[in-house]
Amino acid sequence: MTLSPKTSPKMLALVTGALAAGAALAVGAIYGIGGFERNATAEAGCAQSTAAAGRITPLARGHVASLIPAASPLSVADLTFTGPDGQPMRLSDFRGRTVLLNLWATWCVPCRLEMPALDRLQGQLGSKDFQVVAVNLDTKDPDKPKRFLQDTKIEKLGWYADPSIGLFKTLQQRGRSRGMPTTMLVGPDGCEIGTMNGPAEWDHADAVRLIAAAMTP
């Protein structure tokens, strides 16, 4: 991530945390070893997200400069995790809605730092057309991340979890996740619009502007 003289103290803290997490990767294998690759052609049925990726490309700057618009979107509708009612669900359950899919865990410092911004983003844009789906990947003590959300006063985000970490592994195998946090903007057609590895201030005007552009034909 490139820092400018205007970089906020909050973002500096996020970047510092990301660097600390990066150091832990070599020891704890938090980050995947796969590259951030692109398919030669977009998958069938991803025309809507392909067009959205084109619209957001000039807006991937400032606080969302690390987001990579998909040159050839993947279908991610098959991704699975547990929903608020404790039952299995797929990302396809949100079809027809633009989704900001975020993978986080309490042991990931940058993840914890960006959760309040994701909560505010959901409060600002959450609707029948947009949803932040933050999936917790803690593998032990399911009450710990719930306590964290309560203590941090995260009230707008729904509870989604995948203690098997299968979701992360799937995105890693598809060349879309190199570590935590990983955030993917997904179109109403269930396809990738763009992906970011690392933290961001998701309620910043730069992020809101990019998401709005993705949602506007």
Side-chain angles (χ1 to χ4, degrees), residues 54-76:
R55 291 194 300 273
I56 71 167
T57 296
L59 299 175
R61 60 176 185 264
H63 288 268
V64 285
S66 295
L67 187 140
I68 302 176
S72 50
L74 290 175
S75 174
V76 289

Side-chain angles (χ1 to χ4, degrees), residues 7 17-18 51 81 120 134 154 185-186 206 211:
T7 300
F81 43 89
R120 292 190 294 269
I154 303 297
L185 186 62
V186 181
D206 292 342
I211 293 169

Side-chain angles (χ1 to χ4, degrees), residues 3 15 54 62-63 65 74 77 85 144 183 185:
L3 302 181
V15 173
H63 288 268
L74 290 175
D85 59 358
K144 180 179 179 180
T183 306
L185 186 62

Side-chain angles (χ1 to χ4, degrees), residues 41-146:
T41 57
E43 293 189 6
C46 292
Q48 189 175 8
S49 288
T50 299
R55 291 194 300 273
I56 71 167
T57 296
L59 299 175
R61 60 176 185 264
H63 288 268
V64 285
S66 295
L67 187 140
I68 302 176
S72 50
L74 290 175
S75 174
V76 289
D78 63 329
L79 295 178
T80 59
F81 43 89
T82 300
D85 59 358
Q87 297 300 310
M89 64 182 302
R90 293 176 179 270
L91 198 59
S92 58
D93 293 330
F94 295 96
R95 189 174 292 276
R97 187 181 303 185
T98 299
V99 169
L100 190 70
L101 175 68
N102 175 268
L103 308 187
W104 73 283
T106 56
W107 40 260
C108 166
V109 174
C111 300
R112 296 202 305 268
L113 288 172
E114 71 174 0
M115 291 303 291
L118 287 167
D119 191 57
R120 292 190 294 269
L121 177 66
Q122 174 63 21
Q124 180 177 352
L125 296 183
S127 66
K128 63 181 179 60
D129 298 315
F130 177 78
Q131 177 82 28
V132 176
V133 178
V135 183
N136 176 261
L137 303 184
D138 281 57
T139 59
K140 300 178 180 178
D141 188 4
D143 290 332
K144 180 179 179 180
K146 292 180 180 179

Side-chain angles (χ1 to χ4, degrees), residues 167-184:
L167 177 56
F168 173 82
K169 292 178 180 177
T170 296
L171 287 179
Q172 183 184 49
Q173 291 167 358
R174 296 180 184 181
R176 293 307 192 264
S177 183
R178 293 182 300 191
M180 297 280 288
T182 291
T183 306
M184 178 180 286

